[in-house]
Amino acid sequence: MKVTVFGKKKTTSEGKSFTAFVAKLNRKDGSTLTASVKFREECGQPKLEECPINLEIEKKDANLAERTYTREDTGEDAKSYTLWVSKWKRSEEIYVDHSLDDFE
């Protein structure tokens, strides 16, 4: 499957910086699911400067984990998703941002 991965530099409350990755996964019914992306140590991860980047990931080389948590601001139960990747390769298709195509 092809996945567009976005990266962002973040900082923990202790002052440590790290790169967080996120992607939107397309379901067979046409809906999308937003998930954080974690790359296992043995496969490495894309560089932040390369993001957003299109990746090709075989379904056998990844799994999707679901976590239920309580939102601090509303007290509601919510779900978050993490795509764990153990093997990937760069897609030959380069990411092109079309978010401003409808504007002059």
Side-chain angles (χ1 to χ4, degrees):
M1 65 183 184
K2 289 187 181 176
V3 178
T4 302
V5 175
F6 296 83
K8 181 178 181 179
K9 188 65 93 178
K10 291 191 166 191
T11 306
T12 65
S13 56
E14 293 85 31
K16 284 184 148 185
S17 65
F18 66 98
T19 303
F21 296 99
V22 68
K24 286 194 177 188
L25 306 175
N26 298 317
R27 294 183 186 218
K28 290 180 180 179
D29 66 2
S31 64
T32 60
L33 176 101
T34 302
S36 64
V37 182
K38 304 279 186 178
F39 296 92
R40 301 210 184 269
E41 211 172 296
E42 63 268 12
C43 73
Q45 64 187 30
K47 294 179 181 165
L48 180 61
E49 305 81 42
E50 298 173 314
C51 292
I53 185 172
N54 290 327
L55 302 180
E56 291 182 25
I57 302 168
E58 295 291 327
K59 290 181 182 178
K60 65 180 178 61
D61 296 323
N63 70 299
L64 187 66
E66 178 182 307
R67 180 177 73 92
T68 303
Y69 66 97
T70 303
R71 293 179 56 117
E72 290 182 18
D73 55 347
T74 63
E76 298 175 334
D77 283 343
K79 292 184 180 184
S80 68
Y81 299 90
T82 303
L83 178 66
W84 288 93
V85 178
S86 59
K87 188 176 179 183
W88 59 275
K89 68 177 185 175
R90 283 177 179 74
S91 175
E92 292 183 14
E93 183 180 324
I94 295 176
Y95 175 79
V96 178
D97 184 358
H98 293 286
S99 62
L100 296 174
D101 287 356
D102 293 337
F103 297 91
E104 289 185 30

